Amino acid sequence: MTGTVIITGANGSLAIPAVQHLLANYPSYTAVLTVRNLMDSDINTKKLRATIAKFPDAKTSLYQLDLANLSAVNEFANNIAEKIQQGTLPPLASLICNAYHWNLVGGVELTEDGYEKTFQVNHVAHAALVLRLLSSFGSEGGRVVLLSSDSHWPGKNSLEKYSPAIPDDLELLVKPGADKTPDNMGRGFQRYAISKLVVVTWMYALNRYLKEEPKFRNITAVAINPGNLSDSRALRTNTPTFLVLMSKFIIQPLRFLMRFMDPTMRTSAEAGADVVDLAVGKAHPQERGYFTLLKPDASAPESLDEKKQEKLWEKTLQWTKTTL
């Protein structure tokens, strides 16, 4: 099978090895890769370019995309849709929603769209991309891969201090107001966990819509917990000093021992390969739902509430200004 594979946040810890796995093992695909900063002054973009350079015959293109700007998201989606329609790019085969944001050292951040930043980047912007690009998939369909985390399930992540939960008033997700308590790490992680809970919950509603629409029936959506990645930059980005030190001196050196306590502890390269295999349908073709690593798994009980799924579906259409 051929087609276009889009990866957001393509210079991330998981994404760079994912790109390498895609180009090395599935050379017939065209890779469309997005990053916030295209300049080589960004060391991670420079690493991404070096990875691409290993495959001189690969069909790749890099785009600047800031998911904290919905106008930019819409412009990018329209651009890609137009290129596919004109035949400049092959039909979409997969959209890997990899980019993320969290802030464990500051309070609530708002984007220029007026939405809470963690929630916009992790859910709203990716939902906008998915919804605007559904019609760009080929007749054979394809797959939407949403990145989740064990943090979406209350009590499963050791960084959790306040449990994630979807509020009755969904507007609080995009406009939460100031934190009730001055606890940047605890509340910041809660915002991240809630965004991942919403991603999983929305995935079920998306699959329902895809199955009900004949033209989209061959598109499947999955949400994957890729594992706790010992070499990820996440613990060193917008995090307190003790997490940076813990990542460097405990988690990375002791990964093999920590796997006995947490079987999902692994490297970004392992996770990146799994994400790509899911994306192109080598792993679990035509299946839908939630995965831990490459194993179909149960997601948090709240994510299975169909009324909440539908409420989130309708609200996401409003947030993304999408008409279907």
Side-chain angles (χ1 to χ4, degrees):
M1 185 176 175
T2 60
T4 296
V5 176
I6 298 175
I7 305 177
T8 66
N11 59 356
S13 300
L14 180 153
I16 290 177
V19 169
Q20 172 146 338
H21 186 73
L22 176 66
L23 300 184
N25 294 281
Y26 306 101
S28 62
Y29 285 88
T30 298
V32 170
L33 311 172
T34 79
V35 295
R36 277 200 315 271
N37 185 354
L38 283 173
M39 303 299 291
D40 277 350
S41 56
D42 184 318
I43 187 172
N44 300 304
T45 298
K46 190 174 182 179
K47 287 179 182 177
L48 174 61
R49 291 187 192 277
T51 298
I52 295 170
K54 298 175 185 176
F55 304 92
D57 296 327
K59 300 179 287 291
T60 64
S61 53
L62 264 62
Y63 291 81
Q64 184 170 5
L65 178 60
D66 183 359
L67 296 175
N69 182 331
L70 288 178
S71 293
V73 172
N74 296 338
E75 183 179 346
F76 169 78
N78 291 338
N79 185 20
I80 296 300
E82 184 177 356
K83 288 179 181 294
I84 290 173
Q85 187 176 26
Q86 293 174 344
T88 309
L89 285 173
L92 192 58
S94 183
L95 174 51
I96 301 175
C97 300
N98 168 73
Y100 87 101
H101 176 77
W102 71 2
N103 186 354
L104 309 189
V105 292
V108 172
E109 301 171 282
L110 297 181
T111 67
E112 59 188 76
D113 298 295
Y115 292 163
E116 194 280 313
K117 188 173 182 179
T118 296
F119 190 75
Q120 175 167 325
V121 171
N122 295 356
H123 173 62
V124 178
H126 279 132
L129 273 183
V130 170
L131 295 170
R132 281 165 170 73
L133 289 172
L134 285 178
S135 295
S136 295
F137 278 85
S139 58
E140 295 181 352
R143 179 164 274 168
V144 174
V145 180
L146 305 171
L147 272 289
S148 184
S149 161
D150 64 359
S151 65
H152 91 281
W153 190 309
K156 284 202 171 185
N157 192 289
S158 61
L159 294 181
E160 179 187 306
K161 185 174 180 180
Y162 308 103
S163 294
I166 298 172
D168 292 332
D169 180 2
L170 297 182
E171 277 298 301
L172 292 174
L173 294 169
V174 293
K175 298 180 180 179
D179 289 333
K180 295 179 180 179
T181 54
D183 183 351
N184 291 336
M185 180 172 166
R187 292 302 180 187
F189 188 79
Q190 184 186 39
R191 281 189 286 275
Y192 171 80
I194 289 173
S195 75
K196 294 303 183 180
L197 173 58
V198 167
V199 164
V200 176
T201 307
W202 184 76
M203 176 269 299
Y204 291 109
L206 172 61
N207 271 320
R208 202 152 41 240
Y209 172 75
L210 295 174
K211 287 189 287 186
E212 290 171 356
E213 285 291 323
K215 62 182 177 180
F216 299 142
R217 200 167 286 163
N218 292 328
I219 303 172
T220 60
V222 298
I224 179 174
N225 164 20
N228 288 315
L229 310 183
S230 60
D231 55 348
S232 171
R233 297 197 313 271
L235 290 180
R236 306 190 298 276
T237 305
N238 294 337
T239 55
T241 302
F242 86 89
L243 277 183
V244 176
L245 296 175
M246 185 172 73
S247 170
K248 183 176 181 180
F249 295 110
I250 299 177
I251 295 176
Q252 294 185 56
L254 300 179
R255 180 180 71 245
F256 294 108
L257 291 176
M258 295 185 73
R259 274 183 167 172
F260 290 103
M261 297 180 288
D262 178 4
T264 73
M265 181 70 69
R266 59 180 182 162
T267 65
S268 298
E270 291 171 300
D274 282 355
V275 167
V276 167
D277 288 346
L278 264 182
V280 301
K282 178 183 178 182
H284 302 283
Q286 300 304 314
E287 291 189 39
R288 307 169 190 265
Y290 181 76
F291 289 78
T292 296
L293 312 189
L294 277 186
K295 178 184 176 183
D297 204 358
S299 58
E302 187 173 12
S303 70
L304 303 176
D305 185 325
E306 288 195 16
K307 289 184 178 179
K308 290 189 177 183
Q309 293 168 7
E310 289 307 308
K311 282 181 64 178
L312 271 173
W313 175 257
E314 294 299 327
K315 204 66 178 174
T316 298
L317 293 177
Q318 294 178 29
W319 291 327
T320 59
K321 297 179 173 61
T322 303
T323 302
L324 297 174

